[in-house]
Structures are given as C-alpha cells and as structure tokens.
Amino acid sequence: TAATAPAPQPQADNARIAELEARVARVENATERAEGFAGRADALVVAFAARRAIDRGVALGYLEPLLVDRFGAQHQAAVATIVTASRAPVRLNDLTSEYEALGSELKRGGPDESWWSGFKREFGSIVEVHRANRPAMNADARYNRALQRLSTGDVDQALAETMRLPGASRAGDWTTKARRYVAAHRALDEVESAALLGGQAATR
C-alpha cells in the first residue's frame, strides 16, 4: 500500500508569511526614515551654506537653484529675499564701519531743527538725569548703544536706536542697507527652521 503524503500545515505557512510581511514592513519604514533624514540633512546643508554666502557678501552661485528647489514652493518670499540679498550684498563689517563714520552726523540735529531745540539737545548731551534702571536717552548714549548692538550682530535693535537719533534723516543710505540686512537674515532664519523641522517644505 502506497504511503500517503502528510497534509500541508496552513497555520505554519500563514505564520511564516506574516513574519515575512512584518520584516518587509520594517525594512520599508527604515528606508523611509533614512530618506527623510537624508532629505533633512541636505536641506540644512543648503540653508547653512546660503547663510555663509550672505554673511561673506558673495553670490549664491550653484546654491541659488538648490535653494529654490528645496524651499521655493513653501517659502517663496523668503527665498526671493535671500537671492536678492546675494546680488546686492550687505556685510555686517561694512555696516559697522559706515556707522562709525556717520557718528557725528547721527548725533547732530536735522536741518529743520531750531536753535532752541539744538541748544536743549546739546545741553542734554552734557547732563542728563534719569532713573538708574532706565537707559540714558541722549544722543551719545543712543549712538553708543546702537554701535554696541552692531558689534554683536543685532542689526535690528541697532536700527531701532538709530531711528531715534536726531540726525537719522542724514543716514538714509545706511538705514536702507540695514533694513536689507535684517530682511535677509530673517529669511535665512525661516528656511533654516523649515530645514530643521524636516517637513515637506524642506524636502522633495
């Protein structure tokens, strides 16, 4: 009598298939995570390289299309600001040296200032009474605070102090450059944040 073959074991086969499916799913998830990490790293490299180029006052060059490709869809205004800034660069060192050269003009009154206002301003620059917990408000003190802000790279606050100086109207070219510098670095902050978050805004 011929021996009959053993019946198949459907439960064992199903378990083996389920194990293989789980293994494939784990591999796919690991691949997706690796691709996500690689995309985030690439976006960060592009963002940091763009900041370095802007700070050095050089053109973006090959970084420009990479910046547009990585961030242009979700951060169009920021990318446009960075590209524009790279074509007309403003460096912090240049802003500081120009500000030092403008010192006497900034602390002097505007062309429409009366003699009495000028006298009070000059007298206030010699003697000023203020509370100990509040900064001095005379022109010399404001100018020195603004220059100190510039030395630490805080152009936004330096600009705010400058606009309160009596001779601010004489520094139109400097204030324009300072605003461009601030706008460019805010745009850089935006794309760097997008790269760090690693969302769709920073990866393809």
Side-chain angles (χ1 to χ4, degrees):
T1 307
T4 57
Q9 300 178 356
Q11 292 183 350
D13 292 341
N14 291 339
R16 191 174 294 110
I17 291 171
E19 181 182 355
L20 290 173
E21 289 177 346
R23 190 176 301 173
V24 170
R26 287 196 296 270
V27 171
E28 289 178 346
N29 289 337
T31 302
E32 289 177 358
R33 287 197 300 271
E35 290 176 351
F37 292 148
R40 182 182 302 179
D42 289 345
L44 282 171
V45 168
V46 172
F48 291 158
R51 180 179 291 276
R52 180 173 173 81
I54 293 295
D55 287 341
R56 292 174 59 196
V58 298
L60 290 175
Y62 72 93
L63 289 171
E64 184 174 326
L66 294 177
L67 194 69
V68 173
D69 183 54
R70 286 283 177 179
F71 304 99
Q74 300 295 328
H75 302 273
Q76 186 175 1
V79 171
T81 300
I82 295 169
V83 171
T84 302
S86 74
R87 295 174 181 174
V90 178
R91 298 187 306 169
L92 181 62
N93 290 342
D94 296 334
L95 282 177
T96 304
S97 60
E98 288 180 24
Y99 199 77
E100 290 173 343
L102 286 168
S104 59
E105 294 293 321
L106 287 168
K107 291 182 281 187
R108 192 158 56 88
D112 297 330
E113 183 180 55
S114 66
W115 71 270
W116 177 243
S117 297
F119 172 77
K120 290 191 296 182
R121 178 179 51 76
E122 292 293 338
F123 183 77
S125 65
I126 300 172
V127 177
E128 180 180 356
V129 179
H130 61 90
R131 296 180 61 176
N133 61 347
R134 295 184 60 186
M137 306 300 286
N138 62 58
D140 285 332
R142 283 194 187 280
Y143 175 81
N144 291 333
R145 282 198 301 270
L147 191 57
Q148 184 178 11
R149 296 284 193 180
L150 275 178
S151 66
T152 60
D154 192 356
V155 180
D156 199 3
Q157 290 300 316
L159 181 60
E161 289 283 2
T162 300
M163 298 312 295
R164 299 186 183 98
L165 286 169
S169 60
R170 295 190 175 92
D173 184 59
W174 185 90
T175 55
T176 299
K177 291 179 181 178
R179 289 192 177 101
R180 282 167 42 205
Y181 181 96
V182 171
H185 282 74
R186 285 177 179 171
L188 288 166
D189 291 342
E190 182 178 331
V191 297
E192 284 180 4
S193 296
L196 287 168
L197 291 174
Q200 295 180 353
T203 58
R204 294 188 64 187

